[in-house]
């Protein structure tokens, strides 16, 4: 899937240290990251993966200017909150992992 995306947008595929594959889309756009279920679980410890499809887009990661405000806004919907990120489980975020990260 990563190789196919790379061909579609004429970008190289980069293997990540954890076994995932990344296809950069441009300087100010988000990247596509392809990984298996085990790597997904390692990247999102504490996030229940129930209900996620076996293939397809499963995470929306957004950078925010104020992670504390993001955590306050998400409130009890967060299943993981740290100084660097707030994560919402797919069951609470329309079927995807919502990850809000500090810039």
């Amino acid at each position: 899937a990563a190789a196919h995306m790379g061909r579609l947008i004429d970008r190289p595929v980069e293997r990540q240290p954890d076994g995932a594959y990344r296809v950069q889309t441009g300087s100010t756009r988000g990247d596509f990251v392809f990984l298996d279920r085990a790597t997904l679980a390692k990247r999102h410890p504490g996030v229940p993966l129930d209900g996620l499809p076996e293939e397809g887009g499963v995470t929306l990661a957004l950078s925010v200017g104020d992670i504390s405000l993001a955590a306050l806004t998400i409130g009890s919907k967060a299943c993981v909150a740290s100084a660097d990120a707030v994560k919402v489980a797919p069951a609470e975020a329309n079927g995807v992992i919502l990850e809000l990260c500090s810039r």
Side-chain angles (χ1 to χ4, degrees), residues 34 56-57 63 81 84:
F34 298 83
S63 294
D84 299 324

Side-chain angles (χ1 to χ4, degrees), residues 2-44:
H4 180 69
M5 178 60 73
R7 285 189 303 275
L8 284 174
I9 63 173
D10 196 27
R11 297 286 185 161
V13 177
E14 303 167 0
R15 185 163 173 102
Q16 302 296 290
D18 64 357
Y21 296 89
R22 180 175 77 171
V23 179
Q24 294 184 12
T25 61
S27 62
T28 60
R29 298 183 192 116
D31 299 337
F32 292 101
V33 179
F34 298 83
L35 39 89
D36 61 21
R37 195 71 158 205
T39 306
L40 180 68
K42 288 178 187 174
R43 282 193 175 197
H44 299 286

Side-chain angles (χ1 to χ4, degrees), residues 25-82:
T25 61
S27 62
T28 60
R29 298 183 192 116
D31 299 337
F32 292 101
V33 179
F34 298 83
L35 39 89
D36 61 21
R37 195 71 158 205
T39 306
L40 180 68
K42 288 178 187 174
R43 282 193 175 197
H44 299 286
V47 176
L49 304 180
D50 303 336
L52 287 177
E54 288 302 314
E55 291 186 355
V58 297
T59 304
L60 176 61
L62 303 171
S63 294
V64 297
D66 186 336
I67 198 70
S68 298
L69 182 58
L72 182 65
T73 302
I74 295 297
S76 65
K77 298 289 185 188
C79 63
V80 173
S82 70

